[in-house]
Each structure stands twice: as C-alpha cells, then as structure tokens.
C-alpha cells in the first residue's frame, strides 16, 4: 500500500474540490466534526461503485483515508442523515473498497438482482418518513412515554 502522513485540512479541501468534478457526483464534503479523515460524497446511484473504485485508486498526500459515497437522496450537510444513508445502503462485505491506504464505502442504493463483486444484491425497502403532524405529537408526548 501507499504510505501517507495524516490527513490535513488542506488535503481534505483539495479532495472535496477534485471529487466534485467527477461525472455523477452531486456534492462532496469533509465534515469538520469528523476531523480531516473523512470524505462524504453524494452521487448518482448507478455510478456509486465506479466512483468508489476511483476514490480508492487516486489517493494523494493529506487527503482523507475514509470515504462514504451515498445516493442522491442523502443530505451531506445533515451528518445524521448522511450516516443513516451509509448504514441503510451498505453491505460491508460487498460494498467496501480498500486500496492505497484508503477505505471507500459504496453506500448508494442498489437494485435487487444485481451482482456486485460476485455478491448478490437483495431488494431494499424504501425509506420511511414520519409526517410532520405525527412528529409533533411524539415531541409533545416524550415525557408521557418515559423517553425524555
């Protein structure tokens, strides 16, 4: 593997700008709250694996060592949302790419019946959303539920 020093703020900024120019990438962010070691990428689902492979191959000094490629529905600026999409759309044995000292996760939505890296893809359920009225009711009743 490639031996690089620790990720830096400058390396993370360069990585964000470089990946934003890749076809199929909608947005990229190196969240301050995660240090300089993580790069989040929002991309077209059909290009997720290709983008993950490219990120694992092209690693430069000071750039983040961990990358998560999520689908177009994810909001990179809402870290909880981005991490939810990572966990919801990832099979660790199938969707991780480790090369050149960088671990990249293709957490884009997959279509059931596909084969990725010799592993089958199962159908994933659609994401559930709570409507605003139900959410407001739950917020008002936390204490009653014993969850406050």
């Amino acid at each position: 593997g490639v031996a690089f020093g620790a990720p830096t703020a400058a390396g993370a900024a360069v990585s964000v700008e470089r990946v934003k120019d890749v076809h199929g990438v909608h947005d990229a962010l190196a969240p301050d709250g995660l240090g300089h070691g993580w790069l989040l990428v929002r991309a077209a689902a059909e290009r997720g694996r290709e983008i993950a492979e490219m990120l694992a191959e092209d690693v430069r000094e000071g750039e983040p060592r961990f990358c998560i490629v999520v689908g177009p529905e994810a909001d990179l600026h809402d870290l909880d949302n981005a991490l939810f999409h990572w966990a919801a759309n990832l099979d660790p044995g199938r969707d991780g790419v480790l090369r050149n000292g960088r671990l990249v996760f293709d957490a884009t939505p997959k279509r059931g019946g596909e084969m990725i890296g010799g592993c089958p893809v199962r159908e994933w359920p659609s994401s559930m959303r709570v409507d605003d009225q139900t959410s407001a009711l739950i917020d008002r009743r936390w204490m009653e539920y014993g969850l406050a």
Side-chain angles (χ1 to χ4, degrees):
V2 178
F4 287 121
T8 64
V14 167
S15 194
V16 165
E17 292 310 311
R18 280 192 326 115
V19 77
K20 282 183 177 181
D21 290 334
V22 173
H23 174 69
V25 170
H26 302 299
D27 196 10
L29 179 70
D32 291 333
L34 298 179
H36 309 299
W38 289 85
L39 174 67
L40 305 180
V41 178
R42 187 170 55 90
E46 65 275 5
R47 301 228 343 132
R49 184 64 179 208
E50 182 180 346
I51 291 168
E53 296 276 350
M54 182 273 309
L55 287 168
E57 287 297 327
D58 189 12
V59 184
R60 299 179 188 180
E61 181 69 38
E63 289 189 330
R65 295 293 168 253
F66 302 99
C67 303
I68 304 168
V69 182
V70 293
E73 304 83 21
D75 179 357
L76 301 185
H77 300 276
D78 176 348
L79 191 55
D80 288 340
N81 179 274
L83 295 178
F84 168 80
H85 282 271
W86 177 25
N89 292 298
L90 178 76
D91 177 331
R94 178 193 66 213
D95 297 329
V97 180
L98 176 60
R99 274 192 217 115
N100 300 317
R102 179 180 271 175
L103 179 57
V104 184
F105 300 99
D106 170 16
T108 56
K110 318 296 186 297
R111 290 186 303 262
E114 289 181 306
M115 293 289 285
I116 298 176
C119 298
V121 176
R122 68 176 176 84
E123 287 292 332
W124 292 96
S126 57
S127 295
M128 292 178 44
R129 304 233 186 262
V130 175
D131 63 74
D132 292 339
Q133 183 180 1
T134 303
S135 181
L137 174 64
I138 292 169
D139 287 346
R140 286 192 310 270
R141 297 185 71 186
W142 276 125
M143 293 291 278
E144 181 182 329
Y145 299 145
L147 300 171

